[in-house]
Amino acid sequence: MKFRKDKVFLVSLGTIIVGLATVAVGISTMLQNISEGNPVYYRSAVFAILFGISISMTAFFRMSMPGTGVVGDERTKKAVEKAGFWSYLILLGCLLILGLVNSFWEAIMDFRLMPFVLASIGIFSCGILTYYFDKKGE
């Protein structure tokens, strides 16, 4: 993997560090709630984790882009189509699993954050698979 060595690299590296710090704060908040006997995950902790992961991934993808900025050749288009298909199947599987969990433990667990978690799963899986298929090639 070849990274550009300029201001974009430094800004992206700083953004990755800030994102990982945000994830660490969210996880520590969740663990603190669990250790205090309150297993309810507050929205701020979940949003901190999702936000930190998303800005870290965005900065990583930005950092690993080619310096020319040329995007959109035939291989990239095929990789995006393939990643979209697989991320749709991943999202469908997550919906089925979470639907079953919701039907069994509806009174125990709080499922108000599931749309945000599912949207994050879909976006992250599409981004990761596009990056993987584009780097892998055929």
Side-chain angles (χ1 to χ4, degrees):
M1 182 177 317
K2 190 174 184 182
F3 294 118
R4 293 184 289 160
K5 298 189 185 334
D6 55 359
K7 292 180 183 178
V8 174
F9 176 79
L10 294 176
V11 170
S12 297
L13 188 61
T15 307
I16 288 173
I17 292 170
V18 168
L20 293 178
T22 306
V23 170
V25 168
I27 290 174
S28 67
T29 304
M30 286 180 124
L31 292 177
Q32 182 181 6
N33 288 339
I34 291 172
S35 68
E36 291 174 354
N38 184 11
V40 176
Y41 304 127
Y42 293 108
R43 289 184 179 172
S44 61
V46 173
F47 283 138
I49 292 171
L50 294 177
F51 180 72
I53 291 172
S54 64
I55 64 171
S56 295
M57 285 180 52
T58 303
F60 177 75
F61 292 147
R62 174 74 176 132
M63 191 168 58
S64 63
M65 274 180 37
T68 59
V70 176
V71 180
D73 60 344
E74 188 64 33
R75 188 182 72 167
T76 303
K77 290 179 184 177
K78 285 178 72 174
V80 169
E81 290 174 0
K82 195 174 184 181
F85 172 72
W86 284 105
S87 64
Y88 171 74
L89 291 179
I90 289 170
L91 188 60
L92 193 62
C94 289
L95 279 171
L96 290 172
I97 291 170
L98 289 174
L100 288 173
V101 169
N102 189 20
S103 66
F104 289 129
W105 291 294
E106 188 171 355
I108 299 171
M109 299 178 75
D110 183 20
F111 289 95
R112 288 183 290 181
L113 292 175
M114 284 304 126
F116 302 111
V117 172
L118 287 172
S120 300
I121 289 171
I123 291 169
F124 295 155
S125 65
C126 188
I128 290 170
L129 289 173
T130 300
Y131 184 78
Y132 173 74
F133 291 140
D134 194 28
K135 294 295 178 185
K136 179 183 170 189
E138 287 290 325

